[in-house]
Amino acid sequence: MSLLITNIGELVTNDPAESGDLLGVRTDAAVVVSDGLVEWVGSAAEAPAADEVVDAEGRAVLPGFVDSHSHLVFAGDRALEFQARMAGESYAAGGIRTTVAATRAASDEQLTAGVARHVAEMRRQGTTTLEIKSGYGLSVDDEARSLKVARQFTDETTFLGAHVVPPEYADDPAGYVDLVTGPMLEAAAPHASWIDVFCERGAFDEDQARTILAAGAAVGLKGRLHANQLGEGPGVHLAAELGLAAVDHCTYLTDDDVHALRDAGTVATLLPGVEFSTKHPYPSGRRLIEAGVTVALASDCNPGSCYTSSLPFCIALAVREMGMTPAEAVWAATAGGAAALGRTDVGRLVPGARGDLLMLDAPTHVHLAYRPGVPLVVRTWSA
């Protein structure tokens, strides 16, 4: 079965060889998807025949968004915590424990229904590839079942048993690290592709993070990190040292951190929805890009520090608050997210890539930032 989308006003391919610009923009374009893969890209006037034809009527078509950081397996609500932050209270990682209690008490069916609802939200807003972390179970059984739930929706699942130390281990954090790297990892690994650690004050220090990542690597899990969200710290340097695919948050960076990311080729995944929701300063995407660091944008959808599933909203924030151009922000939410997941088959529209696309009710990608909060994604295709 083949699909031709034609009369595209602006087609974002993320193939700079085509046009010399970052997004590889083509005008008056068409694209053919066959058996789930992009088969042909070119001028609308030269488009081949296909089984199904969609007339874009001058609208923009982009690669589907790649959301490389989300926490969708949870129960409960933390609206009161958000309300308190907006009234002036500061954000601290300890609020995670509230969600842990609710998640442990929820049934598998309730957790699955919650993930399905949030994934549907993401799809409506153009996200076609997503990563989902565990991290709200923090026991052997609850982490394993969280990953089993997540695996129903994506292959990009991440074991985050090292989110925070749960209350029952408050006086024995070393014992909890032993649990994470032993029985919990053994139960979680069959359902995960990645392992992650919240390397931050109030969570896990550098030595603990190194130990946990090494244990994950030993059983074939690829590493990533939450780091430098609440202040400067060792996490970004650790990610660079270990050559991790990505390190996420990167809110507080020294010049040495930036240079380390550039030299290691580790993606800096920025999560502007978190800064919106916690009132922390926004990281500078401009600083990172000008230094030669690859930048991704992701939602970090979670019930505490950032309850948004909208990458269009994150794109608008990145442009308004982080010094990024609309083109840079769109690239970061597509090709950048793919790089953070080590993927080359998504985040771009070139022959052989997955046929994941979105159509905007707008003529250009710029409208994602120009018209913030407006539901511009009118159609999404996912292989």
Side-chain angles (χ1 to χ4, degrees):
M1 184 72 176
S2 58
L3 166 69
L4 166 65
I5 307 173
T6 190
N7 293 326
I8 300 169
E10 177 189 85
L11 177 66
V12 172
T13 67
N14 284 338
D15 181 10
E18 280 297 325
S19 60
D21 67 284
L22 177 67
L23 295 182
V25 168
R26 303 187 68 129
T27 56
D28 300 318
V31 60
V32 174
V33 176
S34 181
D35 296 325
L37 300 177
V38 176
E39 183 177 86
W40 180 90
V41 176
S43 166
E46 301 172 351
D51 299 315
E52 179 185 357
V53 178
V54 172
D55 187 345
E57 299 180 332
R59 297 182 178 93
V61 172
L62 291 73
F65 297 130
V66 181
D67 192 340
S68 62
H69 185 130
S70 78
H71 304 252
L72 302 187
V73 187
F74 67 87
D77 183 277
R78 284 157 64 186
L80 292 178
E81 180 185 313
F82 174 81
Q83 179 176 275
R85 283 202 305 275
M86 295 306 103
E89 294 186 17
S90 62
Y91 171 73
I96 293 167
R97 295 181 181 90
T98 302
T99 302
V100 169
T103 302
R104 288 177 173 180
S107 68
D108 291 359
E109 292 74 19
Q110 289 170 321
L111 295 177
T112 300
V115 176
R117 177 166 59 87
H118 290 103
V119 169
E121 284 182 1
M122 290 177 163
R123 300 288 189 215
R124 289 195 298 271
Q125 297 172 93
T127 295
T128 53
T129 302
L130 71 153
E131 179 263 13
I132 302 177
K133 304 179 192 297
S134 65
Y136 291 125
L138 307 189
S139 70
V140 172
D141 290 344
D142 287 305
E143 284 295 295
R145 76 183 182 115
S146 293
L147 288 163
K148 289 177 186 177
V149 167
R151 202 70 159 188
Q152 298 175 59
F153 300 92
T154 181
D155 291 334
E156 301 291 353
T157 51
T158 300
F159 170 45
L160 184 58
H163 203 179
V164 295
V165 177
E168 61 268 28
Y169 280 89
D171 297 326
D172 186 18
Y176 185 66
V177 171
D178 289 342
L179 181 72
V180 169
T181 57
M184 192 182 290
L185 176 60
E186 182 179 358
H191 315 291
S193 300
W194 300 88
I195 187 166
D196 198 344
V197 182
F198 191 14
C199 183
E200 199 77 56
R201 67 174 187 263
F204 298 88
D205 64 25
E206 179 181 1
D207 289 342
Q208 292 168 328
R210 188 185 297 274
T211 296
I212 293 163
L213 291 172
V219 297
L221 299 186
K222 297 168 287 186
R224 52 203 315 111
L225 275 177
H226 288 58
N228 296 56
Q229 175 188 356
L230 304 178
E232 293 178 5
V236 165
H237 258 281
L238 178 60
E241 175 197 331
L242 298 178
L244 302 188
V247 56
D248 301 4
H249 287 290
C250 300
T251 309
Y252 296 90
L253 298 177
T254 66
D255 288 344
D256 285 345
D257 291 331
V258 174
H259 297 156
L261 289 171
R262 177 199 62 201
D263 295 345
T266 294
V267 176
T269 303
L270 306 183
L271 310 167
V274 174
E275 281 71 47
F276 176 87
S277 187
T278 62
K279 293 189 173 181
H280 277 226
Y282 287 89
S284 174
R286 176 90 275 113
R287 176 190 183 193
L288 289 162
I289 290 168
E290 290 184 352
V293 177
T294 300
V295 172
L297 289 176
S299 71
D300 194 10
C301 183
N302 75 81
S305 62
C306 183
Y307 199 9
T308 183
S309 56
S310 174
L311 273 177
F313 176 60
C314 294
I315 288 169
L317 287 178
V319 172
R320 175 65 180 83
E321 302 289 350
M322 290 163 40
M324 297 172 69
T325 67
E328 289 166 343
V330 167
W331 190 94
T334 51
L341 293 175
R343 300 277 295 270
T344 59
D345 61 327
V346 295
R348 59 195 189 125
L349 296 177
V350 297
R354 283 173 58 95
D356 295 346
L357 310 91
L358 64 89
M359 183 186 293
L360 300 179
D361 190 14
T364 75
H365 70 277
V366 177
H367 287 67
L368 287 163
Y370 177 45
R371 303 199 68 205
V374 176
L376 292 180
V377 177
V378 292
R379 193 160 180 185
T380 301
W381 293 267
S382 182

